[in-house]
Amino acid sequence: MKVFIQVPCLNEEDTLPSVLRSIPTKIDGVDEIEILVIDDGSSDRTIEVARAHGVTHFVHHTRNMGLARSFRDGVDYALARGADIVVNTDGDNQYPQDRIGDLVAPIIAGLADIVIADRQTQTIAHFSAFKKLMQRVGSQVVNRAASTDLPDAASGFRAYSRASLLRLNVITQFSYCMETIIQAGNKRLRIASVPVVTNARTRESRLFKNAGHHMVKSASAIMRSYLMFKPYVIFATLSVTFGLLAVIPFGRFLVLWVANSGRGGNVQSLIFGSIMAVAALLSLALGVLSDLLRTNRILLEEQLERVKEMQYRRLSRPGDLAEDLPEKLGANETTKAQGAAPADHRIRTAKI
């Protein structure tokens, strides 16, 4: 059983030593523990600090790509090296790394596919009353969309089994937290929650500018994920709503027409009802098309899951990794992958 603990970092040279020192070196039921630092375009000494603390696995972004991309690239790196479980923590030392054993225990026991730490946000002193309310409301919205019952859907302190990661596909560019829960819930993966007590705040979040920005981005990610799995619910609701709005003015026109013995007038009701009827038909047509696209996406995801399974099985075999890495990393990285230097995986991006 191999566990990869990935630590996304953006200029975390001050807090990273505390994170690395608090990561357990032994976990019951685990044979190997590897630490992966994801450098998301840091401009400080994050990498030097990590190397000084014995880290040998790195993913480098040449510029800041965001938390979702960091998570996705870290998972890709870990699975390619035979990870059975991937744990995600944070470089700002927000989470209690000594509880990693509790996160992976349900997965090792076969009781869960994903385990999410419950930060017990109502007890966090530096959270304002408004933020606590939004955390609770946001979790309820995600639970409704995913058919789950999680107390803290926004927590990034998580453990994923290899099987669950093969089935999940991160699309959003903002944060993977909400999206992976909605996907996992709709794909019938088992999700467990473990209560933890967070560490004292070391800095403000760099994921969002302010609470409003976070709410807009999170709402967008939730809506997009919900549309992927249950588009018929939204379009059926729109069809019924527009249909009722069409029936009411049509009924009014008919009643007045009969009451006035067939004399004209009240054409505005007929026009408004016609517009609403057209909107209802369009919503119905879009619902049918979106459901067909959902079916097509399910088939494509099943194929993608099999492709990833074959890809990572091949890459994780001893002796195959160095042979396959040139195609994956590019010619520049072949020397590092085959030589004596620490394992190093670069994600190169064009600067805009």
Side-chain angles (χ1 to χ4, degrees):
M1 178 70 68
K2 179 186 287 189
V3 172
F4 259 84
I5 301 170
Q6 62 178 33
V7 189
C9 295
L10 174 60
N11 298 329
E12 306 288 8
E13 65 174 337
D14 295 329
T15 55
L16 187 57
S18 299
V19 174
L20 297 177
R21 283 195 298 265
S22 60
I23 292 177
T25 57
K26 292 183 179 180
I27 299 175
D28 291 341
V30 175
D31 302 311
E32 299 178 60
I33 299 176
E34 303 286 354
I35 300 175
L36 166 63
V37 168
I38 305 166
D39 170 28
D40 193 24
S42 297
S43 58
D44 65 354
R45 298 180 60 256
T46 294
I47 296 300
E48 289 82 352
V49 169
R51 292 191 190 278
H53 284 78
V55 178
T56 58
H57 297 281
F58 295 91
V59 169
H60 297 286
H61 291 165
T62 55
R63 59 171 295 179
N64 179 251
M65 301 295 291
L67 184 58
R69 181 60 183 266
S70 295
F71 173 80
R72 188 173 64 190
D73 291 341
V75 166
D76 181 66
Y77 182 100
L79 292 180
R81 284 149 184 83
D84 298 296
I85 299 175
V86 176
V87 176
N88 191 87
T89 183
D90 205 341
D92 65 357
N93 200 33
Q94 172 189 174
Y95 303 119
Q97 279 70 230
D98 56 355
R99 298 293 305 278
I100 288 176
D102 297 324
L103 285 184
V104 302
I107 298 178
I108 295 174
L111 301 176
D113 300 300
I114 302 171
V115 181
I116 300 175
D118 172 17
R119 297 170 295 172
Q120 305 177 84
T121 54
Q122 295 305 309
T123 65
I124 299 178
H126 66 267
F127 274 22
S128 66
F130 177 74
K131 188 171 184 178
K132 291 178 180 178
L133 174 63
M134 289 299 99
Q135 290 284 350
R136 186 167 64 252
V137 171
S139 294
Q140 291 175 354
V141 172
V142 172
N143 285 329
R144 187 173 181 83
S147 300
T148 55
D149 185 20
L150 298 169
D152 188 7
S155 172
F157 191 33
R158 306 178 172 199
Y160 293 83
S161 68
R162 181 183 182 89
S164 69
L165 290 172
L166 292 176
R167 298 189 64 186
L168 297 176
N169 300 293
V170 178
I171 298 173
T172 181
Q173 298 297 315
F174 177 61
S175 174
Y176 66 93
C177 295
M178 310 293 188
E179 182 181 15
T180 53
I181 290 178
I182 295 175
Q183 286 193 34
N186 284 280
K187 292 181 178 182
R188 300 296 186 267
L189 297 176
R190 294 170 296 176
I191 310 176
S193 181
V194 173
V196 301
V197 177
T198 58
N199 298 324
R201 181 174 61 174
T202 57
R203 59 167 175 76
E204 294 293 337
S205 173
R206 294 171 181 156
L207 181 61
F208 49 88
K209 300 176 183 178
N210 50 54
H213 179 248
H214 182 259
M215 290 170 59
V216 170
K217 289 289 188 179
S218 296
S220 175
I222 293 171
M223 181 61 68
R224 186 182 298 110
S225 300
Y226 189 76
L227 276 170
M228 286 176 59
F229 291 94
K230 297 180 180 178
Y232 51 86
V233 174
I234 295 177
F235 288 110
T237 301
L238 289 175
S239 296
V240 171
T241 301
F242 287 130
L244 290 175
L245 291 176
V247 169
I248 293 172
F250 278 148
R252 178 179 182 273
F253 176 83
L254 183 61
V255 169
L256 293 176
W257 185 78
V258 173
N260 293 329
S261 302
R263 291 195 296 271
N266 303 298
V267 180
Q268 66 275 12
S269 296
L270 193 61
I271 295 174
F272 181 76
S274 299
I275 294 173
M276 292 299 101
V278 171
L281 290 174
L282 285 175
S283 298
L284 181 62
L286 289 173
V288 172
L289 290 175
S290 63
D291 193 54
L292 292 174
L293 289 173
R294 182 182 69 92
T295 303
N296 186 59
R297 178 187 54 76
I298 291 173
L299 295 174
L300 290 175
E301 284 190 338
E302 289 178 351
Q303 295 179 14
L304 180 59
E305 181 182 345
R306 292 181 174 87
V307 169
K308 288 193 291 187
E309 186 176 359
M310 291 186 292
Q311 172 191 359
Y312 293 131
R313 187 190 302 125
R314 184 180 71 251
L315 289 175
S316 61
R317 287 194 199 122
D320 285 356
L321 185 58
E323 179 182 349
D324 287 318
L325 276 178
E327 298 178 6
K328 192 171 183 60
L329 306 180
N332 299 13
E333 300 304 315
T334 306
T335 304
K336 288 188 177 181
Q338 294 177 338
D344 199 347
H345 178 42
R346 294 185 180 271
I347 306 297
R348 299 192 178 276
T349 57
K351 292 190 176 182
I352 300 176

